Amino acid sequence: MAAAAAMATSRGGKQRQPLLQSPTPAAPNGGGAAGRRRFLAFLAVTAALVASYQLLEPTDSSRYRALFLTLGSNATAAAHLRALTLRPHVAGTEANAAAARYVLHAFSSLSFPAHITPYSVLLSYPAHRSLTLAAARGLAAKPFSLVQETYNGDPFAEASAEVIPTYFAYSASGSVAAEVVYANYGHNEDYAYLASRGVDVAGKVALVRYGDIHCEDMVRNARAAGAAAAIVYTDAKDFGGGATRGAKRKWFPDARWLPPTGVQVGTLYYGNGDPTTPMWPSCAAGDDCERLSAEDLSGSEAMPGIPALPVSARDGDTILKAMGGDVAPPKWQGGEDAPVYRLGPGPAVLNLTYIGNETLATIENVYAVIQGKEEPDRYVIIGNHRDAWTFGAIDPNSGTAAMLEIAERLSKLQAKGWRPRRTIILCSWDAEEFALIGSTEWVEENMDTLASRAIAYLNVDISVFGPGGLKPRATPQLDELIKEASKMVPDPDEPSQTLYDTMMRHHPPITRVAGAGTDFAAFLQHIGVPSLDMSYGLFEEYPVYHSLYDDYVWVERFGDPLFHRHVAVASVWGLIALKLADDEIIPFNYVSYASELEECTKDIAEKCKGFPVTLSPLQKSIKQLESAATKIHQEKLLQAENWSLKTRRRSPTQPNPGGRCSMRFTGLQGQCPRLLQSWMVG
């Protein structure tokens, strides 16, 4: 077996019998007559684009890419999503193991070698939580139920009993009884404002609302300000469930908005990977590997250090109504039906108790390998995580459904004789929600191999938020490839336009992968692999994020009723993978990368004014990169033209020439390796 398959089966990962069977695809519902007309227009534009593609590039690889575009199936995406979201499937649970076996079976049924690799990692679950509110010290306290309520006719009401109680993973355990201080979105600037108003946060419970920054940053900032605990609530003004602009909003299931009892859960660990094995790989249960102790972890800056709990908009309103002190600034206020928000402290007193259960649990990554023909030791990696805080219909299984839909198309291409030039690895990661654990452990375990052999990592965490067009983010050498692929796919919401047309209305049309928001982080930041992540729609269209209500019904009614957005994302995602896997000359373009680095250097220079810092070495390196990138880009164009002439003269049965050209142009390694190590990380 090739190296890619060997990596996928490392540590004795076992192939198991599937618990969930692949469902018979059913036609997606929704959309009505207008939706059907849009869908027919979408198909017509797709056919026209495919025809033009075949005329422009009459090569074997272009014909396979054109065929790939015709094989998209809304019904397949819908069927996979329904099967994956029948139950809540948090990492480390039996339900998520069942979801892993479903993905394994889906890959195996397509005749792809498929494997599971397990890791034993530290996960965090709630053992006990309670929260009470007293109007003032010494008065009777009212308990909060801390329950997300189902609705009449909810088809997942029974399965909802399996949802883990609302909590923050890795929150510190403890009990705190203290007055409340309202700190807006929990920025450091918000705490600075409180200090300027004479509001002391030390020893208090900080009440902050979701939005702007991640929950782990909110809690870290609260701790830095001296708070003894933090409560994070979901404001109806931002996520629905209240009145705004004089109109009463409806909420799910009647509208897309988060219900008043909805709670957004998350993780507070400020690192990537298994907390017990930072920067080195974990191992399977029963194997020995070095781990940090509980004492080491409790004192780690990566841990939040104070108890914290997420609560609903309804509970947040109840707390705010009991608060006194100065009136908060207008920008800190809620919607039209919200109480007046005051800064505190008190007189309301919150009594929070949280006890966590941090335990070693087994997670399972699932892989499928499509062996390359000419360059089997070069890898194009497609990835999405499978685990979810609840049902996970949007986050992440809209992406899982799209990936499985791509896999089915690639299987059909194989049946027509296609085989990739380079190896394609499809990855279903586990425990992303806790700390990007599954992908990070795999990268740490195979770091040297991946650093030298991975061509690119193509991630889709969430394929669809709702309306809003294609939203890619990537390292710059992938920009032109994204644009080229998006020109071949009609926009599902505007079938007369391509995804490229609607994408280019945004500024910038392609943003940069940065931070550690999802599974590209280890590939990009640990080993410098060119990476992208993409989705369709705006995050603002998805207010049920990380809540009980992120289920199949929400997607079917609001996220993507026809499932054509899923298929459009799968088409672009798959086209990019095919280009990277099949083109003899890998289609990277570093010219724009150099230009962007120049602009970034100007910004750095401005910020360094007055400091004894010289940027000359950096500017010189960028000029060297620009020169090398321009030279290689010109040579690529020339060789591509020569190659096109050769393929027109060559019989279809003749093999392609050897892969020296593609190896030469992979990431400019032969031109400026030292420069790449410093500046090509992203």
Side-chain angles (χ1 to χ4, degrees), residues 176-521:
V176 174
E179 293 178 326
V180 191
V181 171
Y182 172 54
N184 196 25
Y185 291 109
H187 292 277
N188 286 323
E189 295 82 0
D190 295 329
Y191 289 105
Y193 174 80
L194 289 171
S196 74
R197 293 288 299 271
V199 178
D200 186 9
V201 182
K204 307 298 192 299
V205 176
L207 177 68
V208 296
R209 56 180 174 176
Y210 263 109
D212 287 3
I213 59 177
H214 292 288
C215 56
E216 61 267 37
D217 292 305
M218 295 177 185
V219 176
R220 284 172 67 88
N221 293 345
R223 181 185 69 176
I231 298 292
V232 181
Y233 79 100
T234 305
D235 200 307
K237 175 179 137 179
D238 298 317
F239 295 94
T244 184
R245 294 185 294 276
K248 181 71 176 179
R249 271 186 186 163
K250 297 179 180 179
W251 49 76
F252 184 70
D254 299 316
R256 63 186 175 91
W257 301 105
L258 185 70
T261 64
V263 177
Q264 297 181 4
V265 302
T267 183
L268 300 183
Y269 179 61
Y270 213 75
N272 296 344
D274 177 8
T276 69
T277 61
M279 300 307 296
W280 68 87
S282 185
C283 54
D287 293 345
D288 291 329
C289 56
E290 182 182 355
R291 296 186 185 275
L292 295 182
S293 67
E295 291 74 21
D296 293 330
L297 286 172
S298 64
S300 169
E301 279 297 310
M303 291 298 180
I306 60 174
L309 196 67
V311 301
S312 66
R314 186 171 69 184
D315 293 344
D317 270 8
T318 300
I319 297 169
L320 286 158
K321 288 175 181 176
M323 291 182 63
D326 293 340
V327 174
K331 290 185 178 180
W332 290 34
Q333 295 295 328
E336 291 188 8
D337 66 341
V340 175
Y341 292 2
R342 295 181 178 274
L343 301 178
V349 173
L350 281 175
N351 191 326
L352 163 66
T353 297
Y354 178 80
I355 300 174
N357 174 25
E358 280 69 53
T359 183
L360 289 176
T362 295
I363 65 168
E364 297 176 314
N365 292 339
V366 186
Y367 312 91
V369 179
I370 307 174
Q371 192 78 9
K373 186 177 181 181
E374 286 90 353
E375 299 177 51
D377 59 345
R378 307 307 300 268
Y379 313 136
V380 175
I381 304 169
I382 298 172
N384 157 267
H385 78 94
R386 181 187 67 256
D387 66 296
W389 287 120
T390 62
F391 293 97
I394 290 290
D395 182 9
N397 297 134
S398 64
T400 315
M403 183 172 70
L404 294 178
E405 204 266 331
I406 288 174
E408 294 205 19
R409 296 198 220 183
L410 296 180
S411 177
K412 291 175 182 177
L413 290 188
Q414 278 195 321
K416 297 289 186 180
W418 167 80
R419 185 174 172 185
R421 179 183 188 88
R422 304 175 187 91
T423 294
I424 296 174
I425 307 175
L426 298 102
C427 307
S428 174
W429 309 118
D430 204 349
E432 186 270 359
E433 296 292 6
F434 283 84
L436 317 183
I437 295 178
S439 58
T440 302
E441 296 311 309
W442 191 64
V443 169
E444 289 174 345
E445 184 176 28
N446 302 285
M447 189 170 290
D448 291 342
T449 301
L450 291 172
S452 62
R453 298 183 182 182
I455 299 295
Y457 176 66
L458 313 177
N459 190 76
V460 170
D461 186 330
I462 296 169
S463 69
V464 176
F465 288 113
L470 184 67
K471 299 292 187 295
R473 48 182 177 157
T475 47
Q477 70 270 65
L478 292 169
D479 285 2
E480 293 304 314
L481 183 53
I482 293 170
K483 291 176 182 178
E484 180 183 343
S486 65
K487 288 177 181 178
M488 299 311 305
V489 181
D491 190 307
D493 290 356
E494 298 184 49
S496 64
Q497 304 288 306
T498 66
L499 286 174
Y500 172 83
D501 297 327
T502 54
M503 178 182 76
M504 295 303 291
R505 297 173 190 168
H506 303 284
H507 183 74
I510 302 171
T511 57
R512 294 292 159 238
V513 282
T518 189
D519 287 305
F520 62 74

Side-chain angles (χ1 to χ4, degrees), residues 73-92:
S73 171
N74 305 39
T76 296
H80 282 308
L81 186 66
R82 178 180 285 277
L84 287 161
T85 58
L86 292 174
R87 300 169 63 190
H89 45 288
V90 174

Side-chain angles (χ1 to χ4, degrees), residues 21-105:
Q21 297 298 319
S22 296
T24 301
N29 298 321
R36 287 190 291 273
R37 286 194 295 272
R38 286 197 303 272
F39 182 56
L40 291 173
F42 177 84
L43 292 178
V45 175
T46 300
L49 290 170
V50 166
S52 66
Y53 196 37
Q54 290 173 311
L55 288 172
L56 288 170
E57 293 188 75
T59 63
D60 285 345
S61 60
S62 66
R63 281 194 290 269
Y64 283 125
R65 290 195 286 270
L67 177 59
F68 175 85
L69 287 174
T70 70
L71 297 174
S73 171
N74 305 39
T76 296
H80 282 308
L81 186 66
R82 178 180 285 277
L84 287 161
T85 58
L86 292 174
R87 300 169 63 190
H89 45 288
V90 174
T93 63
E94 178 275 329
N96 199 43
R101 292 191 292 275
Y102 176 87
V103 173
L104 178 70
H105 175 72

Side-chain angles (χ1 to χ4, degrees), residues 653-666:
T653 59
Q654 288 180 298
N656 289 344
R660 290 187 303 164
C661 188
S662 65
M663 298 295 288
R664 179 178 182 181
F665 292 114
T666 302

